[in-house]
Amino acid sequence: LERCPDAEVRVMVINTGGTIGMTYQNNVLSPEPNALVKALRRFHILHDEPYAQQTCLYDCYGPPDNTLVLPLSKKDKRVVYTVLEYSPLLDSCNMTMDDWAMIGKDIEKHYEKYDGFVVLHGTDTMAYTASALSFMLEHLGKPVILTGSQVPIYEMRSDGRDNLLGALLIAGQFVIPEVCLYFHHKLYRGNRVTKVDSGSFNAFSSPNLPPLANAEVDVRINWDMVWWANTTSKFQVQTLMNRNVGLLRLFPGITTQTVRAFLQPPMEGIVLETYGSGNAPSNLADLLEEFSKATERGVIMVNCTQCLRGSVITRYATGKALSDAGLVPGCDMTPEAALSKLSYVLAKEKLSTQEKRKMLSENLRGEITHLDETRYCLRNN
Amino acid sequence: LERCPDAEVRVMVINTGGTIGMTYQNNVLSPEPNALVKALRRFHILHDEPYAQQTCLYDCYGPPDNTLVLPLSKKDKRVVYTVLEYSPLLDSCNMTMDDWAMIGKDIEKHYEKYDGFVVLHGTDTMAYTASALSFMLEHLGKPVILTGSQVPIYEMRSDGRDNLLGALLIAGQFVIPEVCLYFHHKLYRGNRVTKVDSGSFNAFSSPNLPPLANAEVDVRINWDMVWWANTTSKFQVQTLMNRNVGLLRLFPGITTQTVRAFLQPPMEGIVLETYGSGNAPSNLADLLEEFSKATERGVIMVNCTQCLRGSVITRYATGKALSDAGLVPGCDMTPEAALSKLSYVLAKEKLSTQEKRKMLSENLRGEITHLDETRYCLRNN
Amino acid sequence: LERCPDAEVRVMVINTGGTIGMTYQNNVLSPEPNALVKALRRFHILHDEPYAQQTCLYDCYGPPDNTLVLPLSKKDKRVVYTVLEYSPLLDSCNMTMDDWAMIGKDIEKHYEKYDGFVVLHGTDTMAYTASALSFMLEHLGKPVILTGSQVPIYEMRSDGRDNLLGALLIAGQFVIPEVCLYFHHKLYRGNRVTKVDSGSFNAFSSPNLPPLANAEVDVRINWDMVWWANTTSKFQVQTLMNRNVGLLRLFPGITTQTVRAFLQPPMEGIVLETYGSGNAPSNLADLLEEFSKATERGVIMVNCTQCLRGSVITRYATGKALSDAGLVPGCDMTPEAALSKLSYVLAKEKLSTQEKRKMLSENLRGEITHLDETRYCLRNN
Amino acid sequence: LERCPDAEVRVMVINTGGTIGMTYQNNVLSPEPNALVKALRRFHILHDEPYAQQTCLYDCYGPPDNTLVLPLSKKDKRVVYTVLEYSPLLDSCNMTMDDWAMIGKDIEKHYEKYDGFVVLHGTDTMAYTASALSFMLEHLGKPVILTGSQVPIYEMRSDGRDNLLGALLIAGQFVIPEVCLYFHHKLYRGNRVTKVDSGSFNAFSSPNLPPLANAEVDVRINWDMVWWANTTSKFQVQTLMNRNVGLLRLFPGITTQTVRAFLQPPMEGIVLETYGSGNAPSNLADLLEEFSKATERGVIMVNCTQCLRGSVITRYATGKALSDAGLVPGCDMTPEAALSKLSYVLAKEKLSTQEKRKMLSENLRGEITHLDETRYCLRNN
């Protein structure tokens, strides 16, 4: 075995925490620090120690306690990967915007040295973090792939090994310059996914956009769908995000009082999860007035549907009332994408409110489909 | 043609409003009063006028402006149906608990005379109304089937005719003593559904329970799954519902301030839509304290998952924190079912808070699956 | 109401027979001649008699016993359609190549006068006829859409009305120059479908190609996928098809004797339905020799998979044996497409065997995906 | 670590061959003898060597070259498994009835010593072997689970490890007295499956029966569906199978000559794959006469549908013709199940033809659903 540097690609794995690295303690799953690399080294499909030894790999890329290498891939590549573990490990329920910024900064810091990035993350808010990073990472030119698992990687039956392996192979070998989420053999655009199942390995869905890739018997990339940023600007990370944003889901009987309480300062942006194609009660004059007043004082509200699939349109009388009250139509954005986009756009302090509203309705990272730009010819028939 | 009274069954159709009866006015869909019956009479598959004439049907069941009869069914039955149209017609976005009560009272009033009931309703909040009625209608012994459509029944291409026809045939011919929702050839338990697609005829899903029936080439009832109330008590309607209930969906960055504002009086019950298997931030001591304080002052909170499929369990450290703070585990209840159950249970003023909490965790109408009662043997493996 | 000739488009409906026009006779479904037009005229969503009367439509397009007109569409068009009913009506089980030729000739004869064609057909062999027509109709420039139903159009609950209406609206209003199959709100490429369910309205599947269009709340055409012939040649129909073709499905225990009997003259072409990715027994030297001998005497064999989804490849030792024995790899063609393509190509008497073999492996009408031409980047990984 | 014999369960793994144990040789997959156990021993999730050493496991159960043990399961069990590898390894394309008999005899020989059996098998004919074993193993009281993989277990990305692990855990820990097939996290009844995808890990489908179990985050057995033989007879294996059986799939243009050639002696049984709900050409008097003649000379023909889903019924005129010609209606049996059942029943030489025909139409191992015995109430509506 000789080293063949041309065949080596490098991936950085940022282990933020999550089920993938948890162990049972008193019958409850908890994060286990400094255990993941040791566990990975025990699986020869996840680490080829003989190759590392014989090629003096550690001299070149770093010490064995964070450097690993996959067996030779079918494309005759060696994916060398370095694990950066956060301390403390984070439960994804507890993730904040500061954590998103930390991930962004770490990617920025190591951007030049690696061919791609894998972010290990709990599944609960993975769709939020993937959405947020898709906006924060501006002019991204390399793959950033979030993954994790429903069952710890230490268990006999676990989806963690397949998820990590698939993410590593794609991040190292395919130039897909997007923030993606890889789960259960599918690669999704990160700002298009939502967690739909808490008990299945097939936990995520991208309801309004097909997967970017499938990795079953073969890896099939749907290149037509990959998002190519149309600038040649330099990669940079906007770590500043506006915290004064929230998500409000309508329900029958919601009162003006509740809405008012939700909209009160310091709130600056709201994703309103409405019914069906973007509808809200039209008979509550008070409610609509709250929305109008909030718009007037500069609060930006985005109208997204509660439905898993579908888009906000204005075919119904009740829907029109909301756009009249100043809500930005969210089209087919997920609430996760809309919330993080709002946080990202509101943090751009040089922009006027009008410019921010415009930016929110534009397609920044492939997160939104305007019905007229779609490949489908849409007609009422 | 001679009348054969034994072959006739009666269904009451309560037309509350919704897309099924809307027409385009200035390119926007709006309800059209007093139009539905006239429209139905023009479709001979929805009304058999020769039979009505020759058998003097109107003398027996009521005037032609609200009485119709289907052609002979494959089971050799005649479904005679009477339409009761609400005035004004309601947009389902605008539905309130008063409207649920009105539907309940109308069913009670006409309960003895009819073999089954069909409720026409907008799709946006149909899952909420179906859930609410499933609780309000106590000791129900006849089918109550909500349906509607994505496209008005007047249009060339419409799902409304199939939906109405399927609902009428099942309501008139099968003794399924449940509140159901019929859509796109499937009959669901009403308190198990959620609207998942705003642009497809297949708009509803029952993520944690298979359909009760399929009506494609043949009508197939899955009798094993039908819910049989285990009492022989008399049918009655509880029209009183508690209005001080709300739905709060967690999102990363939610602040204690927002939660506090949401929980403030007069709020008496909250469905908290948590992450994954029922998880919430465990690192926000303030947040958990807000929950504890609310519990102490008698507010009842139910923990439901944001995920379309799955159940609330307490396998994770973050999940335990919530049950410690007093939240009732919602298992696999939909947020729609949990909210209306909360409203129903809280209105039972004779019960103590403890009894109410217990009732919320019990299976009242087939709306919840406790993992130990399931047909599945569940083991971590 | 005034006639607006510019808004009128013409569709010819060729009613070959099938369940859509059957009635029950002694509890068995049988075709009912001269009944369909009368039935259609009773549905005002399928025929607008007032418009026909007021605009003297029949003077212009033909008599009421075969001329009908749809209500105004959302695209402000009037689809005028003429029904040509075959006598006798054909059960699709009994369809022969002569019947395919008859349909082809009728389309040719009326090609100039109509904007599109709808072919009513039984579901049992609809996938075969759609495949055959896709090859026979050369340089097609207008839509030809096969449809039918699982339940007669005369029944209360029937999928026939929606299927006919959708096919008419697409055939009249969208220039999709392909032979298609429309069923249960989806438009498929005709040579990609197979019947997968005998008891559901959703009877067809296009396992290796997404639908060309969806017609639910809106009609959405996926224009990127529409097949545009790359010539400007004149439309013509090849009605000559070779009858000496057959379909042989492998099974464990199949004997050389059975295969030999199947391959004996006058057989000239065989679709061999093999296992998995195109595998056959490699240990039966006799069997492979039969294949080789057949190839030598000019029989052409196409290797298609028994699997609903997937493609024939040569990754396995057993698979190589077949290509060595002279079988043409059918890639992801359905058996239905391969059989009719074989019949079409073998009838081209001017071609040499070698040219025929080459033509069979080429993509003539979008019926085959060569893995290297696909939009996917395919790698073993 | 101390041995706890009560916690140990034993599974025999019969490795017949297939992709799961293949390696690439000159870019083509071929079986690799005597390699599997060595490979399994390298995965600590598939073999716990420290436990084996410390408990002197090999002294008790056999030598390390065929004895392995899984880590402690969540049910606190130790699955000890013994691998019996066939020599030569078999490509599933080449499997014959002799091979089925060999597997049956091996299960019989080791029946008492093991709690369950796992059969490693190529995917191409796995559905046939599973069906055949389900009949051959009479009065089965222990689980026999076939599995395999789409990608060799030696590869980085492989479904083989999960498939083997799931099959071992279920075979060792749950008393499901059926021949099953486990693939991609689902346990199916063996005589209900068919291979539907040659390129996906989700390769099998059980179109007319839901899975018996799901093994994702948790293992969930659907106990209501498990088949319990209603006798207490002793387990025995019928290794004699009739070889003179075949599978004939109808296609448009099939000639009487082809059918006659197929039916000629020594053929004794045929599965006829008909269209839709069991239809065949009714206008070919010659064809029907061939069927009648075959019936008269004692050939038994079973009518199965070509459709993936659905059942043979006699609602159509064309369908009646076949039952009149003597074909046994196969209802919703897969062709795989029908072929092996035919082979099994025809080998029972003591039975009369009439008794064999009756047995074929009966439900022997849960392989068939008669519409009247189903849980569904089936009515034309």
Side-chain angles (χ1 to χ4, degrees), chain B residues 24 39 42-46 70-74 150-151 153-159 161-162 165-166 169 182 184-185 198-202 214-220, chain C residues 24 39 42-46 70-74 150-151 153-159 161-162 165-166 169 182 184-185 198-202 214-220:
Chain B
Y24 278 95
R42 293 187 64 199
F43 292 98
H44 59 274
I45 50 156
L46 288 166
L70 292 184
L72 194 66
S73 82
K74 284 284 164 57
Q150 293 277 57
V151 170
I153 207 166
Y154 313 108
E155 302 283 309
M156 247 195 297
R157 290 179 56 251
S158 166
D159 53 337
R161 299 181 290 266
D162 276 358
L165 197 46
L169 287 167
Y182 182 83
H184 199 57
H185 315 302
S198 65
S200 161
F201 290 157
N202 194 16
N214 265 272
E216 305 215 18
V217 176
D218 299 298
V219 174
R220 297 181 180 210
Chain C
Y24 277 95
R42 295 186 64 198
F43 292 99
H44 60 273
I45 51 156
L46 288 167
L70 293 184
L72 194 66
S73 82
K74 283 285 165 53
Q150 293 278 57
V151 171
I153 207 166
Y154 312 108
E155 302 283 308
M156 247 195 297
R157 289 180 54 251
S158 166
D159 53 336
R161 299 181 290 267
D162 276 358
L165 197 47
L169 287 168
Y182 181 82
H184 199 56
H185 315 302
S198 66
S200 160
F201 290 158
N202 193 16
N214 265 272
E216 304 217 17
V217 176
D218 299 296
V219 174
R220 296 181 180 210

Side-chain angles (χ1 to χ4, degrees), chain A residues 194-196 207-208 247-254 271-281 302-313 322 330-336 338, chain B residues 92-93 123-128 193-199 203-205 247-249 273 306-308 334-336 339:
Chain A
T194 191
K195 186 174 177 189
V196 290
N208 292 314
L247 190 70
L248 180 60
R249 195 178 180 92
L250 291 183
F251 54 88
I254 193 170
V271 175
L272 190 72
E273 288 195 76
T274 55
Y275 303 124
S277 305
N279 305 322
V302 181
N303 182 359
C304 288
T305 175
Q306 292 183 12
C307 292
L308 180 65
R309 276 181 296 276
S311 190
V312 163
I313 49 176
L322 287 185
C331 296
D332 65 347
M333 274 194 291
T334 60
E336 290 91 338
Chain B
S92 82
C93 292
T123 57
D124 277 345
T125 64
M126 199 192 287
Y128 285 100
V193 290
T194 191
K195 186 173 177 188
V196 290
D197 200 325
S198 65
F204 287 90
S205 174
L247 189 70
L248 180 60
R249 196 178 179 92
E273 288 194 77
Q306 293 184 11
C307 292
L308 180 65
T334 60
E336 290 90 338
L339 186 76

Side-chain angles (χ1 to χ4, degrees), chain B residues 233-270:
Chain B
S233 309
K234 195 176 167 302
F235 171 69
Q236 63 182 35
V237 183
Q238 173 183 317
T239 52
L240 192 66
M241 298 286 275
N242 187 308
R243 290 158 197 280
N244 300 320
V245 294
L247 189 70
L248 180 60
R249 196 178 179 92
L250 291 184
F251 54 87
I254 191 170
T255 62
T256 303
Q257 181 187 2
T258 295
V259 172
R260 188 185 305 129
F262 210 91
L263 285 170
Q264 72 199 3
M267 199 64 89
E268 297 175 54
I270 289 275

Side-chain angles (χ1 to χ4, degrees), chain B residues 131-149:
Chain B
S131 292
L133 289 175
S134 80
F135 297 109
M136 295 162 75
L137 306 184
E138 298 174 336
H139 315 302
L140 181 65
K142 300 182 175 184
V144 173
I145 305 180
L146 282 84
T147 193
S149 69

Side-chain angles (χ1 to χ4, degrees), chain A residues 96 180 243 245:
Chain A
T96 64
C180 304
R243 289 156 198 279
V245 294

Side-chain angles (χ1 to χ4, degrees), chain B residues 274-294:
Chain B
T274 56
Y275 304 124
S277 306
N279 305 322
S282 59
N283 61 346
L284 298 177
D286 287 0
L287 183 67
L288 291 169
E289 206 183 309
E290 286 301 326
F291 292 144
S292 293
K293 278 198 270 179

